[in-house]
Amino acid sequence: MQPLLQLQGIEKSFPGVKALSGAALAVYPGRVMALVGENGAGKSTMMKVMTGIYARDAGSIKWLGEEANFSGPKASQEAGIGIIHQELNLIPQLSVAENIFLGREFVNAFGAIRWKQLYAEADRLLQRLNLRFSSHKLVGDLSIGDQQMVEIAKVLSYESRVIVMDEPTDALTDTETASLFRVIRELKAQGCGIVYISHRMKEIFEICDDVTVFRDGQFIAERAVDTLDEETLIEMMVGRKLEEQYPRLDKAPGDIRLTVENLSGPGVNDVSFTLRKGEILGVAGLMGAGRTELMKVLYGASQRSGGSVTLEGKKITTRTPEEGLRNGIVYISEDRKRDGLVLGMSVKENMSLTALDYFSHAGGRLKHAQEQLAVSDFIKLFKVKTPSMEQPIGLLSGGNQQKVAIARGLMTRPKVLILDEPTRGVDVGAKKEIYQLINQFKEEGLSIILVSSEMPEVLGMSDRVLVMHEGRLSGDFPIEQASQERLMAAAVGKQHSAELVTP
């Protein structure tokens, strides 16, 4: 089959880093090509070369069978290559139609916008995607899933033949993901070629026809998905067997460190549980069940309206995250780019940001040598891949950014570490490294709360699992009594409080 788009022998270097070396990618009409690899494998760089953001050092790009050289994103977009980024590029205060045609509005001879035509064309695109909302609606009033559909409509407005989707389901509910997959199948039927970038193996086997594997900036293989299984694909990505995806550390927890009684706050109702020294407490539940809300009340980002928290025998009040930190509770956010890291600052500055008290003289002057030594130790311990500690953190891969976020939390020497979706957007190789770090903290007696949407992760790493449903606790399972079926039953509220399993 003749590819719509073909990149071959692509080379791209930056100072001190060879990002792509002989990389290749083909996109075929009516097929979905998964592009997979560990964080830092070169996927994003390849997309930027493809769309003209970066100029390639060597190699060729063929578009519809002809040699092509796109001068920038506008040129590739106008040619028919659309990209939907992980972070949506929409303006919430504008309507759907205004977002779709922003900068390309239909105007009359006097330069006035033809609003009727603008909304009619936008509605036509929404109908093509079987969407039921009007193009007059403000984007800020739509769900994340519907906003993603607006991005697809925007791409289609350019008559795009190839559409790149970068981690498209990262913030979607199961229902929104099912809607997205239906749209992808319709786009395939219309002859579009899709590049689907994802770390979620289940999705790759469900929606993709072919897969291209990158490793360390190099092309490893292109295969039909139906000729592979998950284990083989992971092995191709990381270049080694992952004997155990979830390396559980079997060690009995110690004494009770944290007691939460009848805790209530925004999105949280009457939650009680305990956490022991050296224990990993998994927290599961569907999106919107109140998992993150519970953590925010616990460490002080949301106001507590009732209940009590006792840490090491002493009742504590956490009205702000600073008070949470002072009491020894650290929270690592699920959204590292918005809440967790300052992307323009260096690895060193991000890592030591919350622990500056430990590296300061009485007058507030920094102990630079001590700070550098601590950061250097954590970079080695966490195996953070960075040219130096002065590297802006925004230039690191997602897995390495996450390691820095966790290291920053540990620099404050906490008693309780809350990890909210610690492996979201992280490749399988980096996941394993993060799990091994979590086990190391457990071995040292740290109390860990692991919040995750991935049931296998919760079951694979936890000693005990709490399940949330509509802001309440609907299950408390010792790991020996936990299964996907029981957790899901509790997550949808089928398990009554009388049936709660307590340790």
Side-chain angles (χ1 to χ4, degrees):
M1 192 189 291
Q2 182 72 23
L4 294 168
L5 176 69
Q6 189 163 30
L7 294 89
Q8 288 181 305
I10 303 294
E11 306 274 333
K12 182 64 189 174
S13 294
F14 300 100
V17 181
K18 182 132 195 181
L20 295 173
S21 177
L25 178 68
V27 190
Y28 304 96
R31 291 180 78 81
V32 180
M33 173 64 77
L35 178 58
V36 301
E38 295 188 79
N39 288 114
K43 305 184 297 291
S44 297
T45 306
M46 190 68 155
M47 293 306 100
K48 287 173 179 171
V49 168
M50 177 202 289
T51 53
I53 295 170
Y54 292 158
R56 62 192 183 275
D57 299 335
S60 68
I61 299 178
K62 281 189 177 177
W63 172 242
L64 306 179
E66 303 288 322
E67 285 284 337
N69 192 18
F70 301 120
S71 56
K74 195 166 186 285
S76 63
Q77 207 167 39
E78 286 169 353
I81 300 171
I83 184 160
I84 298 163
H85 296 279
Q86 206 170 349
E87 281 84 25
L88 302 178
N89 296 314
L90 298 169
I91 299 170
Q93 296 82 6
L94 295 183
S95 70
V96 169
E98 288 168 317
N99 269 281
I100 290 172
F101 293 109
L102 190 62
R104 306 175 292 130
E105 295 84 357
F106 303 102
V107 293
N108 62 21
F110 303 102
I113 294 173
R114 293 176 177 161
W115 290 106
K116 198 172 175 184
Q117 186 183 357
L118 183 93
Y119 283 108
E121 283 297 315
D123 280 328
R124 185 182 62 78
L125 288 164
L126 297 182
Q127 280 161 15
R128 186 176 162 190
L129 295 172
N130 284 327
L131 300 173
R132 293 197 175 91
F133 53 84
S134 161
S135 66
H136 285 77
K137 196 162 178 141
L138 288 183
V139 158
D141 293 338
L142 298 175
S143 71
I144 296 290
D146 284 339
Q147 287 183 26
Q148 194 120 43
M149 297 304 178
V150 173
E151 284 277 22
I152 294 173
K154 195 200 303 188
V155 164
L156 291 180
S157 73
Y158 284 93
E159 299 300 319
S160 298
R161 300 281 302 279
V162 165
I163 300 170
V164 179
M165 298 185 179
D166 189 358
E167 297 284 356
T169 62
D170 218 25
L172 301 191
T173 64
D174 290 346
T175 309
E176 288 169 338
T177 298
S179 298
L180 175 68
F181 285 1
R182 178 181 47 72
V183 169
I184 289 173
R185 290 184 184 104
E186 284 169 14
L187 292 171
K188 278 174 60 176
Q190 292 161 16
C192 292
I194 314 277
V195 179
Y196 193 90
I197 303 173
S198 181
H199 292 305
R200 298 183 175 186
M201 295 287 132
K202 182 172 167 283
E203 291 178 7
I204 288 164
F205 285 91
E206 185 175 341
I207 197 66
C208 301
D209 302 292
D210 309 289
V211 59
T212 295
V213 182
F214 276 17
R215 189 167 71 235
D216 299 329
Q218 296 182 317
F219 169 80
I220 300 301
E222 180 193 302
R223 298 273 174 83
V225 167
D226 59 15
T227 65
L228 294 168
D229 58 31
E230 198 171 309
E231 200 175 311
T232 309
L233 183 54
I234 289 172
E235 199 176 322
M236 289 163 71
M237 287 165 62
V238 301
R240 62 190 184 277
K241 278 189 187 295
L242 283 178
E243 278 75 25
E244 281 183 77
Q245 240 176 311
Y246 305 103
R248 175 191 299 286
L249 174 67
D250 284 316
K251 185 184 178 189
D255 298 334
I256 290 175
R257 172 171 272 155
L258 181 78
T259 302
V260 174
E261 292 178 291
N262 311 113
L263 193 65
S264 296
V268 180
N269 291 305
D270 199 28
V271 172
S272 300
F273 65 90
T274 59
L275 176 65
R276 294 175 176 274
K277 293 176 184 174
E279 181 178 38
I280 299 176
L281 179 65
V283 181
L286 302 177
M287 197 172 281
R291 296 168 306 176
T292 295
E293 289 79 359
L294 172 61
M295 299 307 130
K296 288 189 169 178
V297 173
L298 184 57
Y299 89 100
S302 297
Q303 286 301 306
R304 186 197 306 178
S305 60
S308 66
V309 177
T310 305
L311 184 63
E312 294 192 329
K314 180 185 160 198
K315 276 204 164 48
I316 61 165
T317 306
T318 49
R319 287 166 296 227
T320 64
E322 290 77 18
E323 283 188 355
L325 267 178
R326 273 201 301 275
N327 282 302
I329 300 175
V330 161
Y331 173 79
I332 309 296
S333 170
E334 62 179 328
D335 189 345
R336 59 179 172 263
K337 287 187 177 167
R338 194 182 68 189
D339 301 334
L341 300 167
V342 185
L343 297 184
M345 288 170 73
S346 70
V347 169
K348 180 188 78 181
E349 290 163 330
N350 269 280
M351 206 182 275
S352 62
L353 199 57
T354 54
L356 291 178
D357 283 353
Y358 295 101
F359 305 120
S360 300
H361 294 282
R365 205 161 40 86
L366 269 180
K367 300 173 182 173
H368 289 288
Q370 208 173 319
E371 180 195 20
Q372 286 181 345
L373 186 63
V375 169
S376 173
D377 285 346
F378 271 106
I379 286 173
K380 283 181 201 143
L381 174 68
F382 281 37
K383 297 178 185 160
V384 178
K385 288 178 189 163
T386 177
S388 79
M389 65 175 71
E390 301 302 336
Q391 176 88 337
I393 200 160
L395 299 179
L396 266 57
S397 70
N400 286 301
Q401 287 181 7
Q402 187 68 333
K403 288 179 188 176
V404 172
I406 296 170
R408 180 168 80 186
L410 289 172
M411 270 203 174
T412 62
R413 301 162 201 175
K415 294 163 186 168
V416 175
L417 176 67
I418 302 170
L419 298 170
D420 197 347
E421 302 285 4
T423 62
R424 174 174 282 170
V426 170
D427 65 77
V428 286
K431 271 186 183 182
K432 180 89 182 272
E433 289 179 349
I434 288 170
Y435 296 147
Q436 284 165 337
L437 285 169
I438 291 170
N439 278 340
Q440 200 170 324
F441 311 149
K442 176 183 173 177
E443 180 78 61
E444 290 163 7
L446 188 60
S447 302
I448 299 158
I449 300 177
L450 174 65
V451 182
S452 178
S453 304
E454 293 186 34
M455 290 245 187
E457 181 171 87
V458 169
L459 289 166
M461 293 300 295
S462 308
D463 299 301
R464 194 158 49 91
V465 183
L466 302 181
V467 185
M468 297 287 291
H469 172 68
E470 293 181 353
R472 294 180 181 275
L473 205 59
S474 59
D476 184 340
F477 301 91
I479 200 62
E480 303 77 28
Q481 296 176 28
S483 66
Q484 289 220 25
E485 293 74 23
R486 295 189 83 175
L487 296 192
M488 187 50 74
V492 298
K494 283 186 181 170
Q495 181 148 337
H496 303 296
S497 57
E499 297 172 60
L500 268 176
V501 181
T502 50

